[in-house]
């Protein structure tokens, strides 16, 4: 009887064994395919953004021999002199065979309006150059840039291109003379927004993002940690604290536009803070990140083993000493991770900023918390909506920069966790 | 640790104090809000203005016409915008709201025109549409094809069913959502006009205006009209990917993408710079900016900004705004408008 039973158990096991292995293999396969699928999508996203955006890091420039005419430039009028005329003359000098007025105008348009400002910078910094002829690289117009990069195709009929055959031949002439080259696009990193794609840069938006995040971090981290410490270590467990906890969790899931409306009502209409300022942006994003930080901080306080608390209390430490000498330092890496992830979310946010006027065209790079400012994702949104084709690559390039920043922040979170985290 | 906490607390308090002391007390730059259609033009002017004058570059927010005018009308004072961009004329109700909040003197400047185009990919056939065709293809309810005055749910699936001369392609139109000014303008200029081609609906106009509007302006929701979002670039990209569909967007996007897309003619007129400027192309609308007169002289540079906007080097056929896709007003009109703007002539409310 017992022998029989043993055999039948083994039989039963081996009968089902193959099916059980199959089940496990199937399960693993599902897992792997899920990962492969998400990696594929990620790769697709990155590849398409990079493919569209990498060309924006280089900008077509033209070498002009500009005669710094003392008749036009006077040491006293350097701020108001007609630099555009000097640039135009220098450009026309490259094409001596062109005579008609119409053609001359078109040649003037091959060069960006930004060329005059570059010339102005040069002359203002070195007035002693006046009277000499200087070779100077100036940015080309965005349509020339698009043509050189191949974003405006040559093989479509002339009427359908924004660069005519004549312009194309002039561009080829410049290339042949080594006077037209793709150079590193410094304007993209040094300038604020502009309606001319070749002059537009992300510096203004990046500075705005920095100011906004600084406010957010300075406010939400201390407040969030204090709230978490109180709720976790001091607050009694009763209906009120339960209610608060539920509400904090709810807040974390509220769509961010709602915080924008709240910010509009409280900070702008009630407190009369300036519109479009990074200060207000920071305050609104603080409201949005607070719940995330509180939840992460509480989780990391919870993970400090009770034995540490008891040991500290056992050797005579006060509750305050226990928290500030032992528990907070041990929980800090987890809290910082939470804060960095919250910040990364705040960095990518546009919706709440729409309500407080930060979706705006701002040329000057903000210098303080009260200056009108915009942020990186808003800049991306505004460029994506612009008709000029050259903004397409700049949009993708700005996305690449934003992704790099996010990656750096997340990497910092991982680094902090690995370096300081204690396991028990 | 305690020191750290202390310094954080101080920083927090400092920010709080700074925040309360910084309450808007004067502004040295112009603040502009409003339509996303006017945005590309007013930003170009603002940039030029900022570089050419000693004034700071104006700040321009893209809030949409309605939202912009609401902000503009919220009161008079440095914490309210100085200028509102609009892709339609200000409404009587809005002027009243303005007046109620103390904004009584508003200067209206018509800066030019914008055309709304229907276009499809170069890979497929060019369309020759009429506004009646468009109404029949896009309205939610149309007069029954069997004849009679009865309205039925739109039965048309292909353009050929709408009009024999059109290709047998499936009706698929990508357009902006109802929140957009472009959509409002399209509905008013195309659908309203198209539906008066039917006697029965035309009769409704004098009888029951509300019913007339409901019939003419309701766009079908069965998948033939696809709301593609506010982003016109996106619509252009989708047209390229799907050669069978038509898209509705602003003229400047056609201008920039003439190598990829072609515009359909409407009522026999193709949208070009010239046909929109002289009013032959039926689907075009004027663009406006509204200036708060009370702010002129308080906020530095408003008069100069207006002068730049209404200067020939900006808004004429040869100006830099035309290059951005703005269709200029006729020369005589420009002269009067520029003079009115210079004199800061305000809107007289009984005009409406």
């Amino acid at each position: 009887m017992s022998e029989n039973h043993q055999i039948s158990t083994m039989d039963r096991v081996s009968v089902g064994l193959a099916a059980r292995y199959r089940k496990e293999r199937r399960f693993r396969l599902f897992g792997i395919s899920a990962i492969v699928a998400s990696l594929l999508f990620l790769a697709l996203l990155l590849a398409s953004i990079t493919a569209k955006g990498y060309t924006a890091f280089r900008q077509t420039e033209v070498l002009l021999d500009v005669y710094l005419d003392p008749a036009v430039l006077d040491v006293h009028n350097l701020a108001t002199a007609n630099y555009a005329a000097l640039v135009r003359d220098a450009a026309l000098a490259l094409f001596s065979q062109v005579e008609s007025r119409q053609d001359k105008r078109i040649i003037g348009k091959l060069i960006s309006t930004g060329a005059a400002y570059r010339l102005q910078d040069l002359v203002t910094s070195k007035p002693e150059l006046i009277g000499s002829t200087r070779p100077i690289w100036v940015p080309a117009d965005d349509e020339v840039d698009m043509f050189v990069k191949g974003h405006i195709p040559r093989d479509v009929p002339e009427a359908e291109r924004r660069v005519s055959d004549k312009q194309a031949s002039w561009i080829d002439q410049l290339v042949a003379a080594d006077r037209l080259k793709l150079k590193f696009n410094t304007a993209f990193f040094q300038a604020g927004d502009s309606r001319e794609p070749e002059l537009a840069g992300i510096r203004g938006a990046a500075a705005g993002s920095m100011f906004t995040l600084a406010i957010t971090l300075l406010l939400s981290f201390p407040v969030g940690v204090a709230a978490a410490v109180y709720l976790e270590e001091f607050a009694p467990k009763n209906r009120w604290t339960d209610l608060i906890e539920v509400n904090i969790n709810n807040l974390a899931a509220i769509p961010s536009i709602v915080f924008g409306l709240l910010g509009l009502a409280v900070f702008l209409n009630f407190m009369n803070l300036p519109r479009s300022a990074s200060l207000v942006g920071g305050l609104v994003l603080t409201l949005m990140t607070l719940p995330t930080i509180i939840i992460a901080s509480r989780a990391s306080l919870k993970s400090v083993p009770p034995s540490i608390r008891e040991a500290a209390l056992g050797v005579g430490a006060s509750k305050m000493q226990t928290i500030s000498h032992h528990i907070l330092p041990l929980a800090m890496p987890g809290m910082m991770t939470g804060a960095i992830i919250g910040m990364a979310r705040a960095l990518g946010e546009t919706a709440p900023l729409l309500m407080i006027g930060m979706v705006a065209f701002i040329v000057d790079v903000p210098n303080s918390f009260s200056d009108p400012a915009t942020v990186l994702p808003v800049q991306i949104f505004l460029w994506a909506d612009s008709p000029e084709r050259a903004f397409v690559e700049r949009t993708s390039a700005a996305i690449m920069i934003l992704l790099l920043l996010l990656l750096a922040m997340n990497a910092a979170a991982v680094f902090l966790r690995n370096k300081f985290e204690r396991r028990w | 640790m305690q020191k750290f906490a202390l310094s954080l607390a101080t920083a927090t308090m400092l920010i709080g104090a700074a925040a309360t002391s910084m309450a808007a007390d004067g502004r040295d730059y112009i603040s502009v809000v409003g339509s996303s259609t006017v945005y590309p033009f007013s930003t170009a002017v603002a940039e030029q203005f900022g570089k050419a004058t000693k004034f700071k570059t104006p700040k321009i927010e893209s809030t949409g016409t309605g939202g912009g005018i609401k902000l503009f009308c919220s009161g008079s004072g440095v914490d309210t915008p100085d200028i509102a961009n609009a892709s339609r004329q200000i409404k009587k109700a809005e002027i009243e709201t303005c007046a109620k909040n103390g904004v009584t003197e508003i200067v209206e400047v018509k800066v030019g025109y914008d055309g709304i185009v229907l276009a499809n990919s170069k890979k497929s056939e060019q369309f020759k549409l009429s506004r009646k065709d468009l109404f029949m293809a896009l309205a939610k309810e149309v007069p029954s094809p069997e004849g009679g005055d009865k309205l039925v749910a739109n039965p048309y699936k292909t353009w050929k069913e709408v009009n024999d001369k059109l290709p047998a392609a499936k009706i698929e139109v990508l357009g902006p959502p109802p929140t957009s000014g472009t959509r409002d303008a399209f509905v008013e200029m195309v659908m309203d006009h198209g539906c008066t081609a039917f006697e029965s609906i035309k009769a409704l106009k004098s009888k029951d205006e509300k019913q007339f509007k409901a019939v003419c302006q309701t766009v079908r929701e069965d998948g033939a009209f696809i709301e593609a979002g506010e982003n016109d670039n996106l619509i252009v990209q989708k047209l390229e990917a799907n050669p069978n569909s038509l898209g509705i967007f602003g003229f400047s996007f056609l201008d920039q993408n003439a190598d990829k897309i072609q515009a359909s003619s409407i009522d026999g007129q193709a949208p070009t710079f010239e046909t929109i400027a002289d009013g032959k192309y039926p689907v075009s609308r004027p663009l406006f900016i509204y200036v708060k007169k009370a702010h002129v002289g308080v906020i530095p540079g408003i008069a100069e900004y207006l002068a730049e906007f209404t200067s020939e080097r900006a808004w004429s056929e040869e100006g830099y705004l035309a290059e951005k896709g703005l269709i200029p007003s006729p020369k005589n009109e420009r002269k009067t408008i520029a003079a009115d703007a210079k004199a800061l002539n305000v809107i007289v409310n009984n005009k409406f």
Side-chain angles (χ1 to χ4, degrees):
Chain A
M1 157 82 195
S2 69
E3 218 173 47
N4 247 349
H5 180 74
Q6 257 180 352
I7 291 164
S8 74
T9 308
M10 280 313 292
D11 279 351
R12 236 184 300 161
V13 168
S14 52
V15 164
L17 205 54
R20 279 161 66 192
Y21 278 135
R22 262 205 312 280
K23 209 170 174 183
E24 185 188 323
R25 271 200 304 276
R26 212 157 45 223
F27 186 74
R28 279 197 203 172
L29 199 70
F30 283 144
I32 290 174
S33 49
I35 290 175
V36 168
S38 46
L39 282 181
L40 264 181
F41 281 121
L42 183 68
L44 200 68
L45 172 83
L46 289 179
S48 85
I49 288 174
T50 320
K52 268 193 207 154
Y54 78 97
T55 46
F57 295 110
R58 299 211 297 162
Q59 157 72 31
T60 310
E61 299 203 347
V62 180
L63 180 65
L64 295 180
D65 296 323
V66 184
Y67 173 52
L68 302 171
D69 191 349
V72 178
L73 302 171
D74 177 6
V75 190
H76 307 293
N77 75 344
L78 289 185
T80 54
N82 191 354
Y83 296 96
L86 294 180
V87 172
R88 201 175 47 239
D89 289 346
L92 286 177
L94 297 178
F95 302 96
S96 46
Q97 77 280 21
V98 170
E99 295 199 331
S100 82
R101 206 176 140 259
Q102 182 74 16
D103 284 356
K104 283 185 177 171
R105 261 195 56 218
I106 301 175
I107 287 180
K109 282 194 177 152
L110 292 178
I111 309 292
S112 162
T113 49
Y117 304 108
R118 197 176 277 191
L119 190 62
Q120 180 170 7
D121 286 346
L122 176 78
V123 175
T124 320
S125 62
K126 289 186 194 152
E128 68 272 14
L129 293 178
I130 295 174
S132 63
T133 300
R134 298 282 301 180
I136 168 172
W137 285 96
V138 296
D141 188 63
D142 59 313
E143 272 155 17
V144 177
D145 186 43
M146 286 295 98
F147 184 75
V148 171
K149 287 173 181 167
H151 294 307
I152 294 181
R154 277 166 188 267
D155 50 3
V156 298
E158 188 180 1
E160 292 162 8
R161 277 190 251 130
R162 288 182 64 86
V163 174
S164 66
D165 285 346
K166 210 185 245 173
Q167 283 167 299
S169 75
W170 288 334
I171 292 171
D172 292 340
Q173 226 172 306
L174 285 175
V175 174
D178 243 2
R179 282 186 170 271
L180 190 140
K181 273 200 183 126
L182 280 171
K183 295 197 142 200
F184 182 70
N185 189 353
T186 44
F188 187 73
F189 295 98
Q190 290 180 353
D193 197 6
S194 169
R195 282 295 298 146
E196 305 301 329
E198 72 273 15
L199 305 179
I202 55 167
R203 173 116 174 258
S209 273
M210 202 192 73
F211 280 126
T212 311
L213 281 190
I215 296 268
T216 310
L217 184 65
L218 278 178
L219 286 176
S220 65
F221 190 61
V223 175
V225 169
V229 168
Y230 180 79
L231 282 175
E232 206 51 49
E233 304 290 334
F234 294 100
K237 277 260 167 271
N238 59 25
R239 236 187 303 160
W240 287 112
T241 47
D242 281 350
L243 191 71
I244 290 173
E245 184 167 350
V246 169
N247 274 310
I248 289 176
N249 290 339
N250 263 339
L251 274 180
I254 279 182
S256 53
I257 184 82
V258 177
F259 290 107
L261 287 165
L262 182 71
L264 175 69
V266 175
F267 300 127
L268 294 189
N269 294 345
F270 179 68
M271 288 168 71
N272 273 328
L273 292 177
R275 231 181 125 75
S276 314
S278 44
L279 171 72
V280 182
L283 288 171
V284 167
L285 292 180
T286 300
L287 296 180
M288 201 195 79
T289 7
L290 255 184
T292 319
I293 294 186
I294 295 179
I295 291 170
S297 301
R298 289 189 68 180
S300 100
L301 283 170
K302 261 194 202 117
S303 70
V304 176
S307 56
I308 300 221
R309 283 185 191 85
E310 282 150 17
L313 293 172
V315 294
S318 72
K319 185 128 192 182
M320 192 66 214
Q321 283 169 329
T322 312
I323 290 167
S324 60
H325 295 175
H326 300 283
I327 296 176
L328 257 189
L330 288 172
M332 202 41 93
M335 291 176 168
M336 285 201 223
T337 314
I340 291 175
I341 289 169
M343 287 299 120
R345 214 189 121 196
L347 177 65
E349 201 56 70
T350 53
L353 304 180
L354 181 72
M355 307 312 301
I356 54 167
M358 289 184 79
V359 178
F361 175 73
I362 288 153
V363 172
D364 302 324
V365 177
N367 285 322
S368 78
F369 291 107
S370 59
D371 282 346
T374 182
V375 293
L376 275 173
V378 168
Q379 190 67 74
I380 291 167
F381 167 75
L382 288 174
W383 283 352
D385 217 11
S386 304
E388 287 86 359
R389 193 166 293 177
F391 274 123
V392 174
E393 58 169 31
R394 278 167 175 76
T395 308
S396 295
I399 294 174
M400 284 159 77
I401 302 285
L402 184 65
L403 284 180
L404 272 181
L405 282 178
L406 286 172
L407 197 69
M409 288 176 85
N410 284 330
V414 172
F415 174 78
L416 279 177
R417 196 165 57 220
N418 287 347
K419 182 147 171 71
F420 296 110
E421 190 177 46
R422 294 267 299 270
R423 288 182 190 281
W424 289 281
Chain B
M1 192 67 226
Q2 254 168 345
K3 254 189 195 157
F4 176 62
L6 204 70
S7 55
L8 272 182
T10 336
T12 313
M13 275 181 339
L14 271 178
I15 290 175
T20 37
S21 71
M22 226 168 56
D25 53 5
R27 169 154 62 76
D28 55 355
Y29 56 89
I30 302 172
S31 163
V32 184
V33 294
S35 163
S36 54
T37 313
V38 188
Y39 175 86
F41 311 127
S42 56
T43 45
V45 174
E47 192 176 352
Q48 196 65 37
F49 170 80
K51 280 179 179 159
T53 66
K54 59 184 194 304
F55 300 105
K56 278 202 175 173
T57 309
K59 175 192 84 184
I60 297 172
E61 285 179 49
S62 167
T63 59
T65 303
I69 291 184
K70 200 171 154 197
L71 278 171
F72 178 79
C73 285
S74 65
S76 187
V78 285
D79 53 345
T80 59
D82 313 310
I83 296 175
N85 294 332
S87 57
R88 57 164 169 79
Q89 198 159 36
I90 191 167
K91 291 176 185 161
K92 197 174 175 200
E94 288 167 338
I95 294 187
E96 278 159 11
T97 321
C98 254
K100 216 188 300 161
N101 294 324
V103 185
T104 46
E105 293 187 308
I106 306 168
V107 181
E108 180 184 84
V109 183
K110 187 162 96 179
V111 293
Y113 294 87
D114 175 42
I116 296 172
V117 301
L118 266 104
N120 62 351
S121 162
K122 280 246 144 106
K123 288 172 222 153
S124 41
E125 208 179 325
Q126 195 160 16
F127 279 69
K128 289 192 175 60
L129 295 162
S130 71
R131 282 183 274 183
K132 184 183 171 196
D133 296 339
L134 282 168
F135 170 72
M136 282 165 69
L138 296 179
K140 192 172 183 191
E141 290 186 323
V142 291
S144 168
E146 278 107 49
D149 291 348
K150 211 170 108 21
L151 293 174
V152 293
N154 197 329
Y156 304 114
K157 292 267 180 283
T158 69
W159 290 101
K160 206 173 178 58
E161 290 169 27
V162 172
N163 183 342
D164 268 346
K165 290 175 193 135
L166 292 170
K170 200 176 140 215
I171 298 176
E172 197 179 297
V173 178
L174 303 165
T179 45
S180 151
T182 312
R183 167 78 169 265
D184 286 348
F186 177 79
V187 163
E188 267 169 39
M189 288 182 291
V190 174
M191 305 287 279
D192 270 9
H193 186 274
C195 73
T196 52
F198 295 94
E199 285 304 323
S200 56
I201 304 180
K202 202 174 174 183
L204 206 59
K205 188 170 185 177
S206 46
K207 230 173 30 207
D208 186 351
E209 178 97 33
K210 228 181 204 165
Q211 180 68 20
F212 170 79
K213 278 213 165 128
V215 172
C216 293
Q217 300 193 343
T218 313
V219 172
R220 66 198 284 188
E221 287 156 356
D222 56 357
F225 183 88
I226 302 158
E227 279 172 13
E230 296 258 16
N231 188 326
D232 287 0
N233 263 330
L234 202 69
I235 299 185
V236 173
Q237 279 172 23
K238 280 186 181 160
L239 292 183
E240 253 190 298
N242 181 1
N244 289 322
S245 47
L246 282 171
I248 300 172
F249 43 83
F251 175 74
S252 42
F253 288 83
L254 175 70
D255 200 31
Q256 289 278 343
N257 294 293
D259 55 337
K260 296 179 188 157
I261 49 177
Q262 58 192 359
S264 320
S265 66
I266 294 179
D267 292 343
Q269 292 290 342
T272 62
F273 204 81
E274 291 75 27
T275 53
I276 299 174
D278 61 17
K280 279 198 194 117
Y281 181 73
V283 201
S284 73
R285 54 174 163 172
L287 303 176
F288 297 92
I289 62 176
Y290 290 95
V291 184
K292 221 176 262 178
K293 194 176 176 184
H295 283 197
V296 179
V298 179
I299 306 291
I302 296 182
E304 290 82 353
Y305 176 78
L306 266 185
E308 173 72 39
F309 218 131
T310 57
S311 70
E312 287 290 297
R313 70 188 190 113
W315 72 346
S316 69
E317 290 85 357
E318 302 286 314
Y320 56 82
L321 290 181
E323 212 153 291
K324 299 267 169 222
L326 180 79
I327 315 280
S329 317
K331 190 156 190 195
N332 293 333
E333 206 183 41
R334 284 206 303 272
K335 237 180 188 168
T336 355
I337 298 172
D340 279 350
K342 194 162 182 226
L344 296 171
N345 289 337
V346 299
I347 303 182
V348 187
N349 200 6
N350 58 25
K351 182 174 89 177
F352 288 83

